[in-house]
Amino acid sequence: APPNYLGKLLQQLASYGVVISQKGLGGGFRLGRAPEKISIYEVVECLEDMDRWSRCFMKRSQCSGASPCRVHSKWKAIREKNINFLKELTLAKI
């Protein structure tokens, strides 16, 4: 990754406490907590718009449990499975 892009990603992770930034001689970035305590979901949440996962797959604004689109129940199951997977997976595990 280009240094500028990588720097922005690291700063974003630092603003969420996933990493800690230290300036000056010997500075850099390090994990904010033990890798066993940082889920992949936390990392992704810092860098992605996780709200889009809760929106309708078909982009219907009125889609809900009361008025579902054609893929509502299948998307809900996939979404929940993916989110749970990311929450259970830690940096230490990968």
Side-chain angles (χ1 to χ4, degrees):
N4 288 344
Y5 179 70
L6 186 58
K8 288 179 183 182
L9 291 178
L10 288 168
Q11 286 299 329
Q12 211 164 341
L13 291 168
S15 71
Y16 281 83
V18 174
V19 297
I20 295 171
S21 171
Q22 184 174 343
K23 294 181 180 183
L25 187 61
F29 292 90
R30 62 183 164 86
L31 292 178
R33 298 184 304 281
E36 299 83 18
K37 300 200 184 244
I38 301 174
S39 72
I40 299 304
Y41 180 86
E42 287 181 80
V43 175
V44 173
E45 186 178 36
C46 297
L47 305 173
E48 293 264 333
D49 175 15
M50 293 305 287
D51 284 341
R52 72 186 174 113
W53 284 65
S54 62
R55 293 186 209 121
C56 177
F57 183 80
M58 302 293 287
K59 299 190 185 291
R60 282 186 51 211
S61 59
Q62 287 87 347
C63 181
S64 68
S67 175
C69 70
R70 292 183 182 208
V71 296
H72 183 85
S73 60
K74 288 191 183 271
W75 173 241
K76 181 180 178 185
I78 292 168
R79 178 186 69 229
E80 288 174 356
K81 193 177 262 190
N82 283 334
I83 288 175
N84 287 336
F85 170 75
L86 293 174
K87 285 182 176 180
E88 292 169 7
L89 187 62
T90 65
L91 288 179
K93 289 180 182 175
I94 61 168

